[in-house]
DNA sequence: CGAATTCCATAGCGATCGTTGTAAAATTTC
DNA sequence: GAAATTTTACAACGATCGCTATGGAATTCG
C-alpha cells in the first residue's frame, strides 16, 4: 500500500545533484566551499538545498560517504581482488596513480585534502576525515597481519610500520597529483614504493 | 647620521611576535586562521597588526618565508651537510621524521598543509605554496642529477621519477604526522623509503 | 615647554558567511 | 474544484570576515 507522495515534486534529482558538491568539496575543501558556491553549481536555491540535504556539515558527510563508495572505492577493491597481498598493495598504488590524476575530476583524494585547514568551528569535520584515514591505516595493518600469518611476509615484519609507510606513500601521491604530477610519474612512484616489500620465500 | 625614530615606540617585538602567526597558520592554515585569532594570540589590536605586517596575505607570506629559514631549514641542511647524496636523502627523511612530530610545534609541514583548502579569493595563496613545493621537487631532481653525473647513481636512473618519489614520501610523512603517527613510526618509514636507492657500485 | 610624529585601542565599516521566515507555485487527495 | 501538502524563490537574519577611520597616548625634536 504505497501511496504517491503529495505536494509539489522536487525539481531536481537528489542523487545526481550530489555530484557538484562532491567536485567542489574535492577541489576547494570544506571551508573553501561556500553554500553560495554549492547552490550556484547545483542550480538550486538555499532552501531547496537545506530541505534536501540538511545543513552544510550533513551534506559534506554524505558527500564523503558517497565518495568512499565511488571515486574512492578503487583502493579496497584493488586490495580485495588481488590473488595475494603483495599484488594487492601494488595494484592499489597503481590504481591510485591513475585515479589521482584522472582529468575527469579534481586531483588527489578528497578524504586526504578536504579538511586540512580548519577553524575552531569546523574542527569536528577535520576530525571526521582524520578518523577515516586512521581507520584506513589500520585496515592496511590488518591485511599485512593476515599476510604475515599466512607466510607471505617474514615473521619479524613490523606490519604497523609497513602500514604507515604505505599510507604515507598514498597520501604523498595524492599531494603530488594536486601539485601537478603526471600519471606516469605517479606510476613510477608506485613501482618504486613496492621495492620495500620483502622478497618472497623461494 | 642615524637619528632616533620619533613618535610612540612599538609596544611589542615585531620579530618575536611572528611566532604566534606561524603556529596558528601552521595548525589551522591560511583560511582557518582569522585576523581575530591572530590579534588575540599576539596580544595586539588589529591596527597594530596591519601597521606592522601589512594585510593578512602579506603577513602569511612573511611567515612562510621565515618558516623556510627556521623550522623548515632542516631539509636543505641535511642534504647539504651530507658527505654523499645517498646519506643526504636518508638524513633528510630522518630529520623530517623528527621535526614533523616535534611536540613543541604543530605537526607536519606548513608549506604542505597551510593552503590546501582555498576559496576563489585565496587561490593565489595556495598557488604560492604549490610553487614552493614544485621548486623543492626540482631541487631534489637537481641533486639526483649531480649524483648520477658523479657516478653515485646508475646512468639510466630516472631522476625525475626519483625526485617525485622522495617528495611524495616527505609529504606523506607530513600527513601521517598530522594524523598522529609517532616519531619512531616515521623513522621506520624514512628507513623503508631508502630501500629504493640503487645499490652503490662495488 | 609646545609641536611633530608614531602607535595604540575602540568602534565600526561593507561584504560575506551559514541559515531561515515568508509566501507563492505545484502537486495529490477528497 | 477545494483542501492539504511539499517545494520553490526572494529576501533577510545575526554573526563573522578582513580591514580601517577616529582620536587619544606616548615618544622625540626644537
Amino acid at each position: 500500500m504505497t501511496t504517491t507522495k503529495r505536494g509539489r515534486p522536487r525539481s531536481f534529482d537528489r542523487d545526481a545533484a550530489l555530484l557538484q558538491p562532491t567536485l567542489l568539496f574535492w577541489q576547494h575543501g570544506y571551508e573553501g566551499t561556500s553554500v553560495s558556491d554549492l547552490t550556484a553549481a547545483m542550480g538550486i536555491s538555499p532552501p531547496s538545498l537545506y530541505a534536501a540535504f540538511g545543513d552544510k556539515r550533513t551534506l559534506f558527510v554524505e558527500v564523503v560517504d558517497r565518495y568512499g563508495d565511488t571515486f574512492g572505492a578503487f583502493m579496497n577493491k584493488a586490495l580485495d581482488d588481488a590473488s595475494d597481498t603483495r599484488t594487492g598493495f601494488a595494484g592499489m598504488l597503481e590504481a591510485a596513480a591513475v585515479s589521482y590524476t584522472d582529468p575527469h575530476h579534481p586531483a588527489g583524494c578528497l578524504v586526504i585534502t578536504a579538511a586540512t585547514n580548519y577553524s575552531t568551528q569546523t574542527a569536528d569535520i577535520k576530525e571526521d576525515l582524520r578518523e577515516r584515514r586512521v581507520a584506513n591505516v589500520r585496515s592496511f595493518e590488518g591485511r599485512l597481519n593476515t599476510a604475515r600469518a599466512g607466510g607471505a611476509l617474514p615473521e619479524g615484519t613490523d606490519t604497523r610500520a609497513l602500514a604507515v609507510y604505505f599510507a604515507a606513500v598514498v597520501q604523498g601521491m595524492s599531494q603530488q597529483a594536486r601539485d601537478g604530477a603526471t600519471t606516469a610519474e605517479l606510476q613510477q612512484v608506485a613501482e618504486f614504493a613496492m621495492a620495500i616489500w620483502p622478497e618472497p620465500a623461494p
Side-chain angles (χ1 to χ4, degrees), chain A residues 66-137:
Chain A
R66 200 179 141 102
Y67 172 89
D69 295 334
T70 55
F71 299 105
F74 70 88
M75 190 164 288
N76 281 326
K77 180 166 167 44
L79 288 164
D80 288 336
D81 291 359
S83 53
D84 63 294
T85 312
R86 180 181 188 150
T87 56
F89 275 89
M92 183 267 292
L93 293 181
E94 157 72 22
V98 174
S99 172
Y100 289 171
T101 54
D102 187 334
H104 295 90
H105 55 66
C109 171
L110 184 148
V111 177
I112 298 173
T113 57
T116 59
N117 307 137
Y118 61 99
S119 64
T120 312
Q121 298 95 301
T122 60
D124 55 336
I125 294 283
K126 85 114 190 333
E127 206 54 32
D128 179 304
L129 290 196
R130 193 182 76 94
E131 283 165 14
R132 291 172 194 254
R133 292 190 298 268
V134 167
N136 196 53
V137 179

Side-chain angles (χ1 to χ4, degrees), chain A residues 22 31 39 56 68 73-74 80 105 112 127 133 144-145 149 151 155 160 165 174 179 188 191 197:
Chain A
T22 302
E31 292 213 309
T39 54
K56 191 185 169 189
F74 70 88
D80 288 336
H105 55 66
I112 298 173
E127 206 54 32
R133 292 190 298 268
L144 294 168
N145 281 338
E155 288 243 359
R160 168 75 193 159
Y165 169 77
S174 169
D179 283 354
Q188 272 286 356
E191 193 178 320
W197 200 275

